[in-house]
Amino acid sequence: MAALRTLWMGLVLLGVLGVLQTRAEAQVSLQPNFQQDKFLGRWFTAGLASNASWIREKKAPLPMCTSLVAPTEDGGLNLTITFLRKDQCETRTLLLQPVGPPGCYSYTSQHWGSVNDVRVVETDYVEYALLHTESTKGPGQDFHIATLYSRTQTPREEVKEKFAAFAKAQGFTEDTIVFLPQTDKCMEGHQ
């Protein structure tokens, strides 16, 4: 009887999680007719919004970073991110594997061991891109981040407003949205 009750509770939880996951996925749209070849090249991470406590704690000293997007032979993307950390340039490369429709990718974090789903929600390819990343590290440890990519270090005010509206539509509050200051450090070599 106890085993049957445990099984029943497990199925109920899976059903609830499935509904919640479907709702979250329904809220995050996808760039129509995403063209990966136009998305390639250098982007600057100009804005972030997240439910992660480390972003709220470190948002003041967090400078802009560069991301170089290159194709892989299997149709995925190599995303090489260079950022300033403790006055030193650090580089991380993520292998984004295509999953689902064009513009949907997945990668496994070497640092956290978590699986992350990345969606290109909106882009004009020449000026900005809005991305949404979702990760689950374990029970109760859901991580969501909205990212503003810009082709320049100085995105137009309209693009910033578009990002803020996008982040708020994803449930982020004003205090979780940050625009990263531009820097000359760690930018060379990423043309």
Side-chain angles (χ1 to χ4, degrees):
M1 186 70 170
L4 185 59
R5 185 176 181 176
T6 302
L7 176 63
W8 174 248
M9 289 301 292
L11 290 173
V12 168
L13 282 174
L14 282 175
V16 169
L17 290 173
V19 168
L20 292 175
Q21 184 176 7
T22 303
R23 275 197 206 132
E25 289 172 1
Q27 292 175 358
V28 181
S29 61
L30 191 61
Q31 171 68 36
N33 303 311
F34 178 72
Q35 298 174 43
Q36 182 171 289
D37 59 326
K38 290 184 176 183
F39 187 69
L40 304 176
R42 181 174 68 170
W43 292 96
F44 294 96
T45 302
L48 294 173
S50 180
N51 65 340
S53 59
W54 67 267
I55 287 185
R56 286 191 301 275
E57 293 163 4
K58 297 182 180 186
K59 69 181 180 181
L62 203 59
M64 189 175 286
C65 60
T66 60
S67 295
L68 187 60
V69 182
T72 62
E73 288 183 16
D74 63 358
L77 296 173
N78 268 329
L79 178 63
T80 303
I81 304 165
T82 303
F83 55 96
L84 183 65
R85 183 176 180 194
K86 297 181 182 177
D87 289 326
Q88 300 217 341
C89 297
E90 288 193 27
T91 300
R92 299 252 162 71
T93 299
L94 307 174
L95 179 58
L96 304 179
Q97 296 292 336
V99 292
C104 291
Y105 300 92
S106 181
Y107 73 92
T108 301
S109 168
Q110 298 295 333
H111 183 74
W112 299 104
S114 58
V115 175
N116 301 273
D117 295 318
V118 180
R119 297 171 73 89
V120 179
V121 176
E122 183 179 328
T123 184
D124 67 356
Y125 304 101
V126 295
E127 186 178 14
Y128 74 94
L130 304 177
L131 284 75
H132 183 269
T133 303
E134 188 173 307
S135 170
T136 304
K137 293 191 292 187
Q141 295 182 339
D142 290 342
F143 169 76
H144 301 274
I145 188 165
T147 308
L148 168 62
Y149 273 4
S150 174
R151 291 288 190 186
T152 70
Q153 289 192 51
T154 53
R156 292 183 305 118
E157 195 58 39
E158 293 85 355
V159 171
K160 289 178 161 184
E161 289 170 8
K162 181 183 285 275
F163 173 70
F166 163 67
K168 288 175 184 175
Q170 302 310 310
F172 296 112
T173 57
E174 196 71 42
D175 67 321
T176 62
I177 301 170
V178 60
F179 292 99
L180 306 176
Q182 65 185 65
T183 179
D184 293 331
K185 296 180 180 180
C186 305
M187 299 294 155
E188 52 290 322
H190 296 283
Q191 305 305 325

